[in-house]
Amino acid sequence: LDQSSGNLQRLSNEIDRVKREDSARLQEEYRRLVQGLQQAGQIDEQIAERLQSPVLPDDLVNEAIPGNIRRAEHFVSLLRRIVNFLRRYLQVERAQCEGPLSILHKFEEDVEVDSKSLKFCHERLRSLLNTLRVSNLDEFTPITKVADFVTLLGTYAQGFTVITDPYPEAEGIYDPTLLLSCLDASLAIRPVFKRYQSVVLTSGTISPLEMYPKILGMTNVVVTESFSITMARKCLCPLIVTHGPDQVPITSRFSLREDPGVVHNYGELLEQLVQT
């Protein structure tokens, strides 16, 4: 987020420079944005390849970008408000998770922007970078990540959750992170099904097979071999625990193996399992 603020200042300076030297370039971009994303998408192939949209192709909205972000300076102002909102959102003392709809409601109240404007952030930023003829795209990776983040939030109301963790490494080391986690496997694998006519899934751990086509959104499924399995009896169920009650990571990483907090959480986890 700190680097994103620097990116936005750089973009503002570039917009001011282009206004002075070649104002017709920004006016032409505005005209294309009014016509719609299909026309606005006719941009440099290198930029298009480097800045791939985070949204699945079928979910891209092919329509005119909302009027409140067509002007370059208005869009940069919106991104600045988004970055400031995320700074405040990260100021937590305990780990928490929240759904997209809940965060979108907070965006509407604090930033005064709707989900429709958010879902266009990636395409609008890509168009702006092209108009400004930015050569070093890697420099703008931080603000691109922010734009991708809010684009996904604005596009998918279901299938994602946002996790905020103030102590991702260890208790006492405050370094809050924001993670957009996909909970819908069908979203992740959909591009594979779209690209290939036949997809083969094979594993000793995908039983019962009848469940997986529903989870992955598969159609025309052919089962070649399925081993019987029952859930009626008591089975060994895998348990994945990443943090203890105090949010200290439970990890076997060599650098943290002797950490008292990690050792304590391992012992407490073992004790709780025995009690159950």
Side-chain angles (χ1 to χ4, degrees), residues 19 46 50 73 99 133 147 161 164-165 177 179 204 208 222 266:
K19 276 184 177 180
Q46 182 181 5
R50 294 279 296 279
E73 56 271 26
R133 297 173 184 172
T161 189
T164 310
D165 190 352
T177 59
L179 175 66
V222 177
Y266 263 118

Side-chain angles (χ1 to χ4, degrees), residues 162-177:
V162 177
I163 302 173
T164 310
D165 190 352
Y167 304 102
E169 291 297 330
E171 185 71 21
I173 304 177
Y174 187 75
D175 185 23
T177 59

Side-chain angles (χ1 to χ4, degrees), residues 84-260:
N84 291 335
F85 169 80
L86 293 177
R87 287 180 187 275
R88 297 191 299 271
Y89 186 82
L90 273 173
Q91 294 176 0
V92 296
E93 293 299 328
R94 300 187 62 181
Q96 63 183 29
C97 62
E98 200 168 5
L101 290 178
S102 177
I103 296 183
L104 287 175
H105 180 67
K106 294 179 180 178
F107 264 109
E108 292 179 357
E109 289 188 337
D110 294 5
V111 188
E112 298 180 351
V113 59
D114 58 6
S115 60
K116 183 176 182 179
S117 296
L118 293 178
K119 72 170 62 175
F120 284 100
C121 280
H122 171 86
E123 292 293 334
R124 183 65 187 91
L125 178 60
R126 190 174 73 164
S127 175
L128 179 59
L129 292 175
N130 180 74
T131 300
L132 298 177
R133 297 173 184 172
V134 173
S135 57
N136 186 12
L137 293 175
D138 292 338
E139 179 184 351
F140 292 91
T141 297
I143 193 61
T144 301
K145 289 183 177 179
V146 172
D148 290 352
F149 181 84
V150 297
T151 296
L152 287 168
L153 281 181
T155 304
Y156 300 108
Q158 303 292 334
F160 286 87
T161 189
V162 177
I163 302 173
T164 310
D165 190 352
Y167 304 102
E169 291 297 330
E171 185 71 21
I173 304 177
Y174 187 75
D175 185 23
T177 59
L178 195 61
L179 175 66
L180 182 65
S181 181
C182 180
L183 306 180
D184 187 349
S186 66
L187 290 175
I189 203 171
R190 191 185 303 169
V192 177
F193 293 153
K194 288 288 184 181
R195 183 173 182 179
Y196 300 101
Q197 182 176 0
S198 300
V199 177
V200 178
L201 301 181
T202 174
S203 174
T205 58
I206 58 173
S207 296
L209 284 176
E210 295 76 16
M211 177 178 64
Y212 282 85
K214 299 177 182 179
I215 295 177
L216 301 177
M218 300 172 65
T219 57
N220 300 324
V221 179
V222 177
V223 178
T224 59
E225 187 70 37
S226 177
F227 299 101
S228 61
I229 186 173
T230 175
M231 295 297 181
R233 59 186 175 85
K234 290 185 177 182
C235 299
L236 290 176
C237 298
L239 179 66
I240 300 175
V241 182
T242 59
H243 289 72
D246 55 0
Q247 292 307 309
V248 173
I250 297 179
T251 176
S252 59
R253 185 184 302 175
F254 182 79
S255 59
L256 296 175
R257 195 170 295 174
E258 303 298 330
D259 187 286

